[in-house]
Amino acid sequence: MNIAKKWTALLCVCLMLLAAFGTAPTAEAASGPSLRTTLTDNATQRGSKKTFDVWARNAAGSKIKATVKFNGEKLNPTWDDNEKSSYTLVFTQEGENVVTVSASSDGGQKQELTYHITYRKAAAGEAIGSAVWSVEAFTLGSGYVIPPVRGPIYEGETSADQLIRLLHSNGLIGYYGGTTKASFYLAYIADGTVSAAKYNGYQKSGTAKSPRALDLHVAIPQMLTPHLQRTMTFFDPDDYEKNWRGYLGEFVISNGSGWMYCVNNVFPNVGFADTYLSDGDVVRVQFTLGYGADIGGFGAMGTSIPNV
């Protein structure tokens, strides 16, 4: 037997022994953790606050805990859901700021991402950019309630402040819980002509400019109907016309209905009052009939709902 054949035979024996005793590294362990965020390196930030999301997975695809540091200080998540964790950056240091995001798994393997963000302070109320907003009822077959439109972002605002301005400037009003600064919950979008200060216990957002009706014509897409019939405890396609005309929101048509939103096609797991937009963001406010499962946002519910 020549040298090459001896080495080949020895290698085969070693591999057989490793497989037999389970000490060979697996493909999963070799791949290590995966990590991604909604941050961009070398970005410029005008607003004093910014929210972002982190996805951390082990090699098997299960969510794992990430460590986030902002200028060396560890941050706690603002909120967690089944898919991701959300964080809020509060900028006080002008110039360069550094965010590091890391995760370890699969035998101690580590992944780390570093972002450099230049903060240019803006005065309170100063325009710091613009975002594109839309309000959508495609799950009802009704298309856009408000087609995509660009709106200003002002320093110190939450996205709840911007949402209310959007509704009023397009002739509609909202009924909501909490405040635009904390615990905001959009319960209904309603005709701009309604006058009640409260609706189902929720407060009116104010007065619409050039009030108009929602003017919805419900025709739920056929592809959604069997799923809603199977998974919802209540589902009535005629419910809006019979009981809610002029008010679209929670529990209309199904027990899983309501308003959700995504920013740059990511559904936040925090409310409008905890989301701070940056220049160029795209916000879609969407009506769901099935806890977000019909619009791709079910993971942001942060809970497990049977059969959905």
Side-chain angles (χ1 to χ4, degrees):
M1 182 180 292
N2 61 33
I3 297 297
K5 289 183 178 180
K6 287 183 178 179
W7 277 112
T8 301
L10 181 60
L11 179 60
C12 290
V13 171
C14 289
L15 289 174
M16 291 172 64
L17 289 172
L18 286 171
F21 290 99
T23 56
T26 65
E28 285 189 351
S31 64
S34 64
L35 198 59
R36 66 184 178 94
T37 80
T38 52
L39 291 176
T40 301
D41 193 21
N42 296 317
T44 297
Q45 174 73 20
R46 294 299 315 281
S48 58
K49 293 183 179 180
K50 181 177 179 62
T51 48
F52 72 99
D53 298 312
V54 174
W55 291 260
R57 296 279 188 275
N58 62 18
S62 300
K63 180 183 175 183
I64 58 176
K65 184 178 179 181
T67 299
V68 175
K69 291 185 178 180
F70 183 40
N71 294 327
E73 297 292 326
K74 185 177 178 181
L75 292 183
N76 291 319
T78 307
W79 197 258
D80 278 307
D81 63 28
N82 297 330
E83 297 178 352
K84 60 189 180 299
S85 301
S86 297
Y87 296 83
T88 302
L89 302 175
V90 180
F91 292 89
T92 58
Q93 173 183 305
E94 290 200 73
E96 185 176 88
N97 293 258
V98 178
V99 181
T100 58
V101 183
S102 61
S104 298
S105 69
D106 308 303
Q109 295 189 77
K110 184 177 180 180
Q111 178 76 267
E112 183 172 284
L113 302 173
T114 302
Y115 301 91
H116 302 83
I117 302 174
T118 300
Y119 174 48
R120 291 167 46 214
K121 186 177 181 179
E126 180 182 348
I128 57 175
S130 64
V132 174
W133 285 76
S134 63
V135 178
E136 307 172 9
F138 287 99
T139 53
L140 303 182
S142 298
Y144 286 111
V145 177
I146 299 175
V149 60
R150 189 174 296 277
I153 303 170
Y154 298 109
E155 165 60 13
E157 282 189 324
T158 67
S159 61
D161 294 313
Q162 294 157 41
L163 170 64
I164 296 302
R165 185 169 61 246
L166 173 78
L167 294 177
H168 290 179
S169 64
N170 284 273
L172 303 172
I173 61 100
Y175 284 94
Y176 65 91
T179 71
T180 59
K181 301 301 182 186
S183 303
F184 180 90
Y185 168 66
L186 179 65
Y188 300 93
I189 292 177
D191 290 351
T193 55
V194 301
S195 58
K198 287 198 171 185
Y199 184 73
N200 281 356
Y202 296 102
Q203 60 186 312
K204 185 182 177 185
S205 61
T207 303
K209 180 180 179 181
S210 301
R212 68 174 177 92
L214 275 171
D215 194 29
L216 297 176
H217 303 282
V218 176
I220 297 170
Q222 290 184 356
M223 66 181 296
L224 292 181
T225 300
H227 301 287
L228 294 166
Q229 289 174 332
R230 186 178 69 253
T231 62
M232 296 295 107
T233 56
F234 165 74
F235 173 62
D236 180 1
D238 299 320
D239 186 45
Y240 175 77
E241 288 292 337
K242 292 188 297 187
N243 302 307
W244 301 91
R245 189 164 181 81
Y247 299 85
L248 184 62
E250 62 176 13
F251 309 132
V252 177
I253 298 177
S254 81
N255 58 289
S257 69
W259 291 103
M260 297 182 69
Y261 75 111
C262 64
V263 180
N264 303 326
N265 284 330
V266 174
F267 286 85
N269 49 26
V270 295
F272 285 101
D274 294 302
T275 295
Y276 299 87
L277 301 178
S278 297
D279 185 41
D281 283 344
V282 176
V283 185
R284 299 172 62 194
V285 183
Q286 301 174 70
F287 190 71
T288 175
L289 290 169
Y291 299 108
D294 49 353
I295 56 175
F298 181 65
M301 296 296 294
T303 186
S304 177
I305 302 172
N307 302 320
V308 178

Short mmCIF file of all heavy atoms in Angstrom, two decimals, residues 39-74:
data_model
loop_
_atom_site.label_atom_id
_atom_site.label_comp_id
_atom_site.label_asym_id
_atom_site.label_seq_id
_atom_site.Cartn_x
_atom_site.Cartn_y
_atom_site.Cartn_z
N LEU A 39 -31.03 48.55 11.44
CA LEU A 39 -30.11 49.68 11.43
C LEU A 39 -29.29 49.70 10.15
O LEU A 39 -29.12 48.67 9.49
CB LEU A 39 -29.17 49.63 12.63
CG LEU A 39 -29.78 49.87 14.02
CD1 LEU A 39 -28.73 49.68 15.10
CD2 LEU A 39 -30.39 51.26 14.11
N THR A 40 -28.74 50.88 9.83
CA THR A 40 -27.85 51.05 8.68
C THR A 40 -26.56 51.67 9.16
O THR A 40 -26.57 52.67 9.89
CB THR A 40 -28.50 51.95 7.61
OG1 THR A 40 -29.73 51.36 7.18
CG2 THR A 40 -27.59 52.12 6.41
N ASP A 41 -25.43 51.08 8.75
CA ASP A 41 -24.13 51.63 9.15
C ASP A 41 -23.86 52.95 8.43
O ASP A 41 -24.32 53.18 7.31
CB ASP A 41 -23.03 50.62 8.82
CG ASP A 41 -21.70 50.98 9.48
OD1 ASP A 41 -21.70 51.72 10.48
OD2 ASP A 41 -20.66 50.49 8.99
N ASN A 42 -23.14 53.82 9.13
CA ASN A 42 -22.75 55.14 8.59
C ASN A 42 -23.96 56.01 8.23
O ASN A 42 -23.94 56.77 7.26
CB ASN A 42 -21.84 54.97 7.36
CG ASN A 42 -20.53 54.29 7.71
OD1 ASN A 42 -19.91 54.60 8.73
ND2 ASN A 42 -20.10 53.34 6.88
N ALA A 43 -25.02 55.89 9.04
CA ALA A 43 -26.22 56.70 8.83
C ALA A 43 -26.11 58.02 9.59
O ALA A 43 -25.34 58.16 10.54
CB ALA A 43 -27.45 55.94 9.30
N THR A 44 -26.90 59.00 9.15
CA THR A 44 -27.01 60.28 9.85
C THR A 44 -28.38 60.34 10.49
O THR A 44 -29.40 60.05 9.85
CB THR A 44 -26.83 61.46 8.88
OG1 THR A 44 -25.51 61.42 8.34
CG2 THR A 44 -27.02 62.79 9.61
N GLN A 45 -28.44 60.71 11.77
CA GLN A 45 -29.67 60.74 12.53
C GLN A 45 -29.96 62.15 13.00
O GLN A 45 -29.13 62.79 13.64
CB GLN A 45 -29.55 59.79 13.75
CG GLN A 45 -30.71 59.83 14.70
CD GLN A 45 -31.94 59.14 14.13
OE1 GLN A 45 -31.83 58.33 13.20
NE2 GLN A 45 -33.10 59.45 14.68
N ARG A 46 -31.17 62.69 12.68
CA ARG A 46 -31.56 64.02 13.14
C ARG A 46 -32.43 63.94 14.40
O ARG A 46 -32.33 64.78 15.28
CB ARG A 46 -32.34 64.75 12.04
CG ARG A 46 -31.54 65.08 10.79
CD ARG A 46 -30.36 66.01 11.05
NE ARG A 46 -30.66 67.15 11.90
CZ ARG A 46 -31.27 68.27 11.52
NH1 ARG A 46 -31.67 68.40 10.25
NH2 ARG A 46 -31.48 69.25 12.36
N GLY A 47 -33.32 62.97 14.47
CA GLY A 47 -34.19 62.86 15.63
C GLY A 47 -33.45 62.36 16.85
O GLY A 47 -32.47 61.62 16.75
N SER A 48 -33.93 62.75 18.03
CA SER A 48 -33.25 62.36 19.28
C SER A 48 -33.58 60.93 19.69
O SER A 48 -32.94 60.39 20.60
CB SER A 48 -33.63 63.32 20.41
OG SER A 48 -35.04 63.35 20.60
N LYS A 49 -34.57 60.30 19.03
CA LYS A 49 -34.92 58.93 19.35
C LYS A 49 -35.08 58.13 18.06
O LYS A 49 -35.54 58.66 17.05
CB LYS A 49 -36.21 58.85 20.17
CG LYS A 49 -36.09 59.44 21.57
CD LYS A 49 -37.38 59.28 22.36
CE LYS A 49 -37.24 59.85 23.76
NZ LYS A 49 -38.50 59.70 24.54
N LYS A 50 -34.71 56.85 18.15
CA LYS A 50 -34.86 55.96 17.00
C LYS A 50 -35.16 54.56 17.51
O LYS A 50 -34.48 54.05 18.42
CB LYS A 50 -33.59 55.93 16.15
CG LYS A 50 -33.69 55.02 14.91
CD LYS A 50 -32.44 55.09 14.07
CE LYS A 50 -32.55 54.18 12.85
NZ LYS A 50 -33.65 54.57 11.95
N THR A 51 -36.17 53.93 16.94
CA THR A 51 -36.48 52.54 17.28
C THR A 51 -35.93 51.62 16.19
O THR A 51 -35.90 51.98 15.02
CB THR A 51 -38.00 52.34 17.41
OG1 THR A 51 -38.64 52.91 16.27
CG2 THR A 51 -38.54 52.99 18.66
N PHE A 52 -35.49 50.43 16.60
CA PHE A 52 -35.01 49.45 15.63
C PHE A 52 -35.25 48.05 16.15
O PHE A 52 -35.51 47.84 17.34
CB PHE A 52 -33.53 49.67 15.30
CG PHE A 52 -32.56 49.30 16.39
CD1 PHE A 52 -31.90 48.08 16.38
CD2 PHE A 52 -32.31 50.17 17.45
CE1 PHE A 52 -30.99 47.73 17.38
CE2 PHE A 52 -31.41 49.84 18.46
CZ PHE A 52 -30.76 48.62 18.42
N ASP A 53 -35.18 47.08 15.25
CA ASP A 53 -35.46 45.69 15.57
C ASP A 53 -34.24 44.82 15.36
O ASP A 53 -33.39 45.11 14.52
CB ASP A 53 -36.60 45.16 14.70
CG ASP A 53 -37.91 45.90 14.94
OD1 ASP A 53 -38.27 46.08 16.11
OD2 ASP A 53 -38.54 46.32 13.95
N VAL A 54 -34.19 43.72 16.13
CA VAL A 54 -33.09 42.76 16.05
C VAL A 54 -33.66 41.35 15.92
O VAL A 54 -34.55 40.96 16.69
CB VAL A 54 -32.19 42.83 17.30
CG1 VAL A 54 -31.13 41.72 17.26
CG2 VAL A 54 -31.53 44.19 17.42
N TRP A 55 -33.16 40.61 14.93
CA TRP A 55 -33.48 39.19 14.78
C TRP A 55 -32.22 38.39 15.09
O TRP A 55 -31.20 38.55 14.41
CB TRP A 55 -33.93 38.86 13.36
CG TRP A 55 -35.25 39.43 12.95
CD1 TRP A 55 -36.45 38.78 12.91
CD2 TRP A 55 -35.51 40.76 12.46
NE1 TRP A 55 -37.44 39.61 12.45
CE2 TRP A 55 -36.89 40.84 12.16
CE3 TRP A 55 -34.70 41.87 12.26
CZ2 TRP A 55 -37.48 41.99 11.68
CZ3 TRP A 55 -35.29 43.03 11.77
CH2 TRP A 55 -36.66 43.08 11.48
N ALA A 56 -32.27 37.53 16.09
CA ALA A 56 -31.13 36.67 16.45
C ALA A 56 -31.62 35.22 16.47
O ALA A 56 -32.63 34.91 17.11
CB ALA A 56 -30.56 37.06 17.80
N ARG A 57 -30.92 34.35 15.75
CA ARG A 57 -31.31 32.95 15.64
C ARG A 57 -30.10 32.05 15.85
O ARG A 57 -28.97 32.41 15.46
CB ARG A 57 -31.87 32.66 14.24
CG ARG A 57 -33.15 33.40 13.90
CD ARG A 57 -34.35 32.70 14.52
NE ARG A 57 -35.61 33.28 14.07
CZ ARG A 57 -36.19 34.34 14.61
NH1 ARG A 57 -35.59 34.96 15.62
NH2 ARG A 57 -37.35 34.78 14.17
N ASN A 58 -30.33 30.88 16.43
CA ASN A 58 -29.27 29.89 16.45
C ASN A 58 -29.29 29.12 15.14
O ASN A 58 -30.12 29.40 14.25
CB ASN A 58 -29.39 28.96 17.67
CG ASN A 58 -30.69 28.16 17.66
OD1 ASN A 58 -31.35 28.01 16.63
ND2 ASN A 58 -31.06 27.62 18.82
N ALA A 59 -28.40 28.16 14.99
CA ALA A 59 -28.29 27.44 13.72
C ALA A 59 -29.55 26.66 13.38
O ALA A 59 -29.85 26.42 12.22
CB ALA A 59 -27.09 26.49 13.76
N ALA A 60 -30.32 26.29 14.42
CA ALA A 60 -31.56 25.55 14.19
C ALA A 60 -32.72 26.46 13.82
O ALA A 60 -33.80 26.00 13.51
CB ALA A 60 -31.91 24.74 15.44
N GLY A 61 -32.49 27.78 13.86
CA GLY A 61 -33.52 28.73 13.49
C GLY A 61 -34.37 29.24 14.64
O GLY A 61 -35.32 29.98 14.43
N SER A 62 -34.03 28.86 15.87
CA SER A 62 -34.80 29.32 17.03
C SER A 62 -34.30 30.69 17.50
O SER A 62 -33.11 30.98 17.44
CB SER A 62 -34.68 28.32 18.18
OG SER A 62 -35.18 27.06 17.79
N LYS A 63 -35.24 31.51 17.99
CA LYS A 63 -34.86 32.84 18.48
C LYS A 63 -33.98 32.71 19.72
O LYS A 63 -34.23 31.89 20.61
CB LYS A 63 -36.12 33.64 18.83
CG LYS A 63 -35.81 35.04 19.36
CD LYS A 63 -37.08 35.78 19.77
CE LYS A 63 -36.72 37.11 20.41
NZ LYS A 63 -37.91 37.85 20.89
N ILE A 64 -32.91 33.52 19.77
CA ILE A 64 -32.03 33.57 20.93
C ILE A 64 -31.88 35.02 21.39
O ILE A 64 -32.24 35.96 20.67
CB ILE A 64 -30.64 32.97 20.62
CG1 ILE A 64 -29.98 33.71 19.44
CG2 ILE A 64 -30.74 31.47 20.36
CD1 ILE A 64 -28.56 33.25 19.14
N LYS A 65 -31.34 35.19 22.56
CA LYS A 65 -31.17 36.53 23.13
C LYS A 65 -29.98 37.24 22.50
O LYS A 65 -28.91 36.66 22.32
CB LYS A 65 -30.99 36.43 24.64
CG LYS A 65 -30.89 37.78 25.34
CD LYS A 65 -30.76 37.60 26.84
CE LYS A 65 -30.65 38.95 27.54
NZ LYS A 65 -30.50 38.78 29.02
N ALA A 66 -30.17 38.51 22.18
CA ALA A 66 -29.07 39.33 21.66
C ALA A 66 -28.64 40.32 22.74
O ALA A 66 -29.40 40.63 23.66
CB ALA A 66 -29.51 40.09 20.42
N THR A 67 -27.41 40.79 22.61
CA THR A 67 -26.90 41.84 23.49
C THR A 67 -26.68 43.10 22.67
O THR A 67 -25.99 43.06 21.64
CB THR A 67 -25.57 41.42 24.15
OG1 THR A 67 -25.79 40.25 24.96
CG2 THR A 67 -25.02 42.54 25.03
N VAL A 68 -27.30 44.19 23.08
CA VAL A 68 -27.19 45.46 22.35
C VAL A 68 -26.53 46.49 23.26
O VAL A 68 -26.94 46.68 24.41
CB VAL A 68 -28.59 45.97 21.92
CG1 VAL A 68 -28.48 47.35 21.27
CG2 VAL A 68 -29.23 44.98 20.95
N LYS A 69 -25.50 47.15 22.73
CA LYS A 69 -24.82 48.21 23.47
C LYS A 69 -24.82 49.49 22.65
O LYS A 69 -24.59 49.47 21.44
CB LYS A 69 -23.39 47.79 23.81
CG LYS A 69 -23.31 46.66 24.83
CD LYS A 69 -21.87 46.36 25.25
CE LYS A 69 -21.81 45.27 26.29
NZ LYS A 69 -20.41 44.98 26.70
N PHE A 70 -25.10 50.60 23.33
CA PHE A 70 -25.15 51.91 22.70
C PHE A 70 -24.07 52.77 23.36
O PHE A 70 -24.17 53.09 24.53
CB PHE A 70 -26.54 52.53 22.90
CG PHE A 70 -26.74 53.86 22.23
CD1 PHE A 70 -26.24 54.11 20.97
CD2 PHE A 70 -27.47 54.86 22.86
CE1 PHE A 70 -26.44 55.34 20.35
CE2 PHE A 70 -27.68 56.08 22.26
CZ PHE A 70 -27.16 56.32 21.00
N ASN A 71 -23.02 53.07 22.59
CA ASN A 71 -21.85 53.77 23.13
C ASN A 71 -21.31 53.07 24.38
O ASN A 71 -20.94 53.70 25.37
CB ASN A 71 -22.18 55.23 23.44
CG ASN A 71 -22.49 56.03 22.19
OD1 ASN A 71 -21.92 55.78 21.12
ND2 ASN A 71 -23.40 56.98 22.30
N GLY A 72 -21.30 51.74 24.33
CA GLY A 72 -20.73 50.94 25.40
C GLY A 72 -21.69 50.58 26.52
O GLY A 72 -21.37 49.73 27.35
N GLU A 73 -22.88 51.20 26.54
CA GLU A 73 -23.86 50.93 27.59
C GLU A 73 -24.90 49.93 27.09
O GLU A 73 -25.46 50.10 26.01
CB GLU A 73 -24.56 52.22 28.02
CG GLU A 73 -23.63 53.25 28.65
CD GLU A 73 -23.10 52.80 30.00
OE1 GLU A 73 -23.84 52.11 30.73
OE2 GLU A 73 -21.93 53.13 30.32
N LYS A 74 -25.15 48.91 27.90
CA LYS A 74 -26.10 47.87 27.50
C LYS A 74 -27.53 48.41 27.51
O LYS A 74 -27.94 49.11 28.43
CB LYS A 74 -25.99 46.67 28.45
CG LYS A 74 -26.86 45.48 28.04
CD LYS A 74 -26.64 44.31 28.98
CE LYS A 74 -27.54 43.14 28.60
NZ LYS A 74 -27.36 41.98 29.51
#
